[in-house]
Amino acid sequence: MNRTFHSRTRWDQIIYVFIIASVCLYMIWIKQAILAAILAVLLIVLIEKIIHTQYIITSNNKLIIKRGRFSKTQELDFDNITDIEEKTTTKFGAFYVAKYVLITYNKSKYIAITPASPSRFINAVIKKKEHYIDNES
């Protein structure tokens, strides 16, 4: 059975979308159709990535990272994953700029993801990896 985790929408992504939408509307206002069309396409791609990013733990011991329909799907085998931990960026007072999950695979490659519930995602990966190792022995 596959388990799907959706991505959390971060505040910087929302600000980025509003900035591009504002510039796109301004380009329409000043009658710059080509630039407005390019920005509209960029806006569609960004919103697609924000909405449709998924992290799927499959029954055949793979982690599939889908970052929308316009991006390439990435697959990681559980036997290649060496470490998984929750990280944060800069802290301002009691708030962090961003929280993410850092996955180390092949001992020297890293990938950062932002699941909606990082602790559940980490627990699911650890549980699946332990179950995978027990079945392999």
Side-chain angles (χ1 to χ4, degrees):
M1 182 172 96
N2 295 344
R3 184 148 181 213
T4 303
F5 294 88
H6 294 281
S7 178
R8 179 180 64 241
T9 305
R10 298 185 327 258
W11 63 272
D12 57 332
Q13 292 172 329
I14 294 170
I15 290 173
Y16 191 53
V17 166
F18 278 126
I19 289 172
I20 292 183
S22 301
V23 173
C24 182
L25 288 174
Y26 179 72
M27 290 297 149
I28 292 170
W29 184 266
I30 63 170
K31 297 181 174 94
Q32 296 291 323
I34 295 173
L35 290 175
I38 291 170
L39 287 173
V41 169
L42 178 65
L43 194 60
I44 290 170
V45 170
L46 287 174
I47 292 172
E48 162 66 26
K49 275 189 155 196
I50 290 170
I51 292 173
H52 289 109
T53 298
Q54 298 179 0
Y55 313 110
I56 303 168
I57 299 172
T58 64
S59 58
N60 59 348
N61 301 317
K62 289 187 187 272
L63 173 63
I64 299 174
I65 301 169
K66 292 184 178 182
R67 297 186 193 257
R69 297 180 192 136
F70 303 125
S71 297
K72 190 176 176 182
T73 300
Q74 188 173 8
E75 288 188 14
L76 298 174
D77 287 324
F78 273 101
D79 50 352
N80 292 339
I81 295 175
T82 56
D83 190 26
I84 184 168
E85 56 187 326
E86 187 175 358
K87 295 278 195 173
T88 57
T89 58
T90 309
K91 184 177 180 181
F92 290 108
F95 301 102
Y96 292 101
V97 174
K99 291 183 181 180
Y100 60 94
V101 175
L102 185 67
I103 299 173
T104 307
Y105 63 100
N106 292 340
K107 297 187 181 176
S108 63
K109 294 183 181 179
Y110 302 95
I111 188 164
I113 60 174
T114 56
S117 55
S119 58
R120 284 186 180 173
F121 177 79
I122 291 171
N123 289 338
V125 170
I126 291 171
K127 184 177 176 184
K128 185 73 169 179
K129 191 162 173 71
E130 287 174 353
H131 180 60
Y132 173 65
I133 291 171
D134 288 342
N135 287 342
E136 195 176 73
S137 304

